[in-house]
Amino acid sequence: MSLSQADMAFARELFGNIPDLTTRRMFGGMGLYSGGTIFGVQLSDGRIMLKAVKGPFADRMSDLGGEEWTTMRKDGTPSAMPYWTLPDAYLDDPEQASALAFEALAALR
């Protein structure tokens, strides 16, 4: 499955307040960058995720109802990735989504 042009346009519009916003297609999805720093991804199924390594911002994403991205290894064990789903309430509000993305970027620097 691959992202549609409409899905990609939605993510770009949602994070339109992020300075130096760029995107790059990857693995059927898309990376979201600010000034060359990846702060999020949009998976091939359209889900938007923000990068949050272990710590206060990851805890905040969990508290907001975000779910950590997990994949299955070849041996069947789960592997957690440092990305959390953008909570549904933020999908309808570019201002709030961008504010949360700014928090993600601050935690990455």
Side-chain angles (χ1 to χ4, degrees):
M1 182 177 194
S2 184
L3 279 175
S4 70
Q5 292 296 321
D7 284 337
M8 291 185 289
F10 173 78
R12 288 182 191 110
E13 185 175 315
L14 187 64
F15 295 110
N17 293 333
I18 300 298
D20 302 317
L21 178 68
T22 58
T23 60
R24 186 175 353 159
R25 291 189 67 102
M26 54 195 307
F27 310 112
M30 181 173 72
L32 300 158
Y33 299 81
S34 174
T37 299
I38 190 166
F39 68 88
V41 294
Q42 188 175 28
L43 302 181
S44 61
D45 62 8
R47 285 182 294 163
I48 297 173
M49 309 189 98
L50 294 180
K51 190 166 186 177
V53 295
K54 299 281 184 221
F57 185 64
D59 294 342
R60 175 159 160 65
M61 290 297 292
S62 178
D63 291 344
L64 290 171
E67 295 179 15
E68 190 171 20
W69 181 15
T70 57
T71 61
M72 287 296 187
R73 295 182 179 161
K74 289 181 182 181
D75 66 4
T77 60
S79 176
M81 304 294 285
Y83 291 90
W84 293 75
T85 56
L86 187 65
D88 289 344
Y90 291 78
L91 292 171
D92 294 326
D93 190 334
E95 193 170 303
Q96 284 189 355
S98 290
L100 202 55
F102 277 118
E103 288 184 52
L105 283 160
L108 293 168
R109 293 187 173 131

